[in-house]
C-alpha cells in the first residue's frame, strides 16, 4: 500500500486533496516503489493521493499510472497531431461558452483540474484566457437566457467540480430561473480521482435544485472503481442525480474487452451507466495512446457479446465542425 495512509489522508477534505496532490514524477514513482525517471514537459504532473492509492506498487505498467506519468513519447512530433484538433478556440460566442450543439451549451467553468491526464485533449487549451469569475457568469447566464433553444447546460473545464459549492449552487439557482433550461450536466473526473469531493455541500445543492442533474464521470479502467468511488457515486444518486460514464479508449490502459466489460459491470454496481467510449482526439503529445478505430470496433463487438446492451457504451469520435459526435458502427457479425 501507498505511504501516507497512516497520516489519515483518506479522511482529509477534498480541498486538501487538491492542494496536496503529487506534482512531480519522482514523488509519484517513489510512492510506488519504482525507479525514478522524469521527462521535461510543459503539461506538469498532477496526481491526487486517492487516485495514486488505487495503483499497484511495483508495477511500472499499471494502467492508472500510465494515464498520469509523462513519458518521452509525449515529446515526439507526429503528423496529424495538433494542439486544437476540435478547433474549439474559434467557437466561443462569449468568454467561457462553447455553443456547438443544438439544445446544449457547454461552459468552461474553471481552468483547473484535480489530475493531469496525459492523453487530455485540452492539454494545450489556453485556459488563462478562459478564467471566468462571477461577473462573467452573469454574462453567461444572460446569453443562455437569450437563447430559447438551450435546454441543457453542460459544465465542463478543466473540471467543474474544482469550483466550490457556493459558486456551483449559485449557478444552479440562476439556471433554474430560466424557463427553457431543464437540465444541468456536469462532466467531471473528480468523483473518480478524489471521491471526497462528493461532500455534504455538493449533495445538498444537487438535492435541492429543481433542475434535472446529470453527472458524467470519467473512469477509464476497472481499477478506478474503488469502494470509495462507488460510495461517492451512490451519494450522488441518492441526491437525485443521473450518473453516466465516459471513457477514452487508450492503448495499454483499457484497450482490452475483458477489462472494459469489467469496468461496465463495476460502474453499474455503483449506479452508473456507460455512455461514451471516445476515440482519442489527435492532440500533440498523445499519439502513444492511439487505438485505431477498427480495433475499437472489434473491442465493442466483443463487449456486446459479453454484456447486456445497456452496459455497452457508444463508440464515438469528435469531428471538428460537426453538429454532434460521430458514432462509429460496430462490425456486423
Ligand atoms: C460532447 C459535447 C457536447 C455534448 O454532447 P452529447 O452528445 O450531448 O454528450 C456539447 N458540447 C460540446 C462542445 C461537446 O464537445
Ligand atoms: S480531468 Fe479531464 S480535462 Fe482535466 S486533464 Fe484529465 S482529461 Fe483533461
Amino acid at each position: 500500500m501507498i505511504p501516507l495512509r497512516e497520516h489519515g489522508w483518506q479522511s482529509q477534505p477534498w480541498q486538501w486533496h487538491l492542494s496536496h496532490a503529487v506534482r512531480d514524477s519522482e514523488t509519484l514513482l517513489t510512492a510506488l516503489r519504482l525507479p525514478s525517471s522524469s521527462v521535461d514537459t510543459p503539461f506538469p504532473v498532477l496526481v491526487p493521493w486517492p487516485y495514486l492509492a488505487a495503483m499497484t506498487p511495483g508495477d511500472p505498467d499499471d494502467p492508472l499510472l500510465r494515464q498520469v506519468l509523462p513519458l518521452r513519447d509525449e515529446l515526439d512530433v507526429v503528423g496529424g497531431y495538433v494542439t486544437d484538433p476540435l478547433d474549439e478556440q474559434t467557437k466561443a460566442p462569449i468568454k467561457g461558452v462553447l455553443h456547438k450543439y443544438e439544445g446544449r451549451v457547454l461552459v468552461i467553468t474553471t481552468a483547473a483540474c484535480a489530475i493531469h491526464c496525459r492523453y487530455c485533449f485540452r492539454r494545450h487549451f489556453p485556459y488563462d484566457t478562459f478564467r471566468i469569475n462571477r461577473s462573467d457568469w452573469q454574462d453567461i447566464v444572460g446569453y443562455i437566457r437569450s437563447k430559447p433553444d438551450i435546454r441543457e447546460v453542460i459544465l465542463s473545464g478543466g473540471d467543474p467540480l474544482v469550483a466550490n459549492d457556493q459558486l456551483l449552487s449559485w449557478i444552479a439557482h440562476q439556471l433554474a430561473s430560466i424557463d427553457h433550461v431543464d437540465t444541468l450536466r456536469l462532466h467531471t473526473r473528480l468523483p473518480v480521482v478524489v471521491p471526497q469531493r462528493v461532500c455534504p455541500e455538493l449533495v445538498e445543492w444537487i438535492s435541492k435544485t429543481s433542475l434535472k442533474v446529470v453527472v458524467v464521470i470519467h473512469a477509464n479502467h476497472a481499477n478506478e472503481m474503488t469502494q470509495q468511488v462507488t460510495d461517492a457515486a451512490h451519494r450522488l444518486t441518492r441526491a437525485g442525480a443521473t450518473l453516466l460514464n465516459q471513457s477514452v479508449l487508450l492503448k495499454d490502459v483499457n484497450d482490452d474487452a475483458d477489462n472494459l466489460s469489467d469496468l461496465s459491470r463495476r460502474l453499474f454496481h455503483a449506479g452508473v451507466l456507460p455512455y461514451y467510449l471516445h476515440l482519442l482526439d489527435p492532440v500533440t503529445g498523445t499519439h502513444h495512446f492511439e487505438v485505431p478505430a477498427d480495433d475499437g470496433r472489434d473491442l465493442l463487438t466483443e463487449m456486446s457479446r459479453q454484456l447486456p446492451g445497456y452496459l455497452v457504451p457508444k463508440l464515438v469520435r469528435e469531428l471538428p465542425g460537426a453538429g454532434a459526435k460521430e458514432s462509429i458502427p460496430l462490425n456486423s457479425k
Side-chain angles (χ1 to χ4, degrees), residues 14-15 165-166 169 197-206:
W14 65 272
Q15 294 89 345
D165 290 308
Q166 202 192 349
S169 64
R197 177 63 186 92
V198 186
C199 60
E201 293 77 16
L202 176 63
V203 165
E204 171 159 332
W205 72 257
I206 290 180

Side-chain angles (χ1 to χ4, degrees), residues 141-289:
V141 169
Y143 175 83
I144 294 167
R145 203 180 285 280
S146 75
K147 300 277 177 195
D149 74 294
I150 298 175
R151 312 188 70 175
E152 176 171 18
V153 176
I154 304 171
L155 305 186
S156 181
D159 195 312
L161 287 185
V162 168
N164 65 50
D165 290 308
Q166 202 192 349
L167 176 64
L168 292 169
S169 64
W170 178 84
I171 292 168
H173 189 73
Q174 295 296 310
L175 296 177
S177 75
I178 303 174
D179 280 347
H180 53 265
V181 174
D182 56 28
T183 305
L184 176 64
R185 190 196 316 181
L186 299 160
H187 272 260
T188 174
R189 203 148 149 71
L190 260 159
V192 175
V193 304
V194 181
Q196 291 83 348
R197 177 63 186 92
V198 186
C199 60
E201 293 77 16
L202 176 63
V203 165
E204 171 159 332
W205 72 257
I206 290 180
S207 312
K208 286 197 174 145
T209 181
S210 60
L211 297 164
K212 181 70 209 157
V213 176
V214 179
V215 180
V216 183
I217 65 168
H218 291 208
N220 294 320
H221 190 279
N223 293 1
E224 293 174 27
M225 294 304 295
T226 62
Q227 189 58 50
Q228 287 85 350
V229 172
T230 302
D231 293 345
H234 282 138
R235 292 197 291 280
L236 287 168
T237 308
R238 278 199 301 272
T242 296
L243 266 66
L244 303 172
N245 181 64
Q246 174 168 315
S247 310
V248 183
L249 184 54
L250 301 165
K251 185 166 186 292
D252 297 334
V253 172
N254 61 2
D255 55 337
D256 172 90
D258 292 341
N259 184 271
L260 286 172
S261 294
D262 196 23
L263 171 62
S264 277
R265 289 189 201 98
R266 290 205 208 179
L267 286 164
F268 185 60
H269 180 70
V272 186
L273 285 175
Y275 180 36
Y276 283 146
L277 178 62
H278 267 264
L279 292 179
L280 187 74
D281 295 315
V283 182
T284 307
T286 66
H287 71 98
H288 54 296
F289 286 115

Side-chain angles (χ1 to χ4, degrees), residues 43 113 115-117 119-120 158 189:
F43 186 50
C113 286
I115 185 168
H116 285 170
C117 313
Y119 56 84
C120 182
R189 203 148 149 71

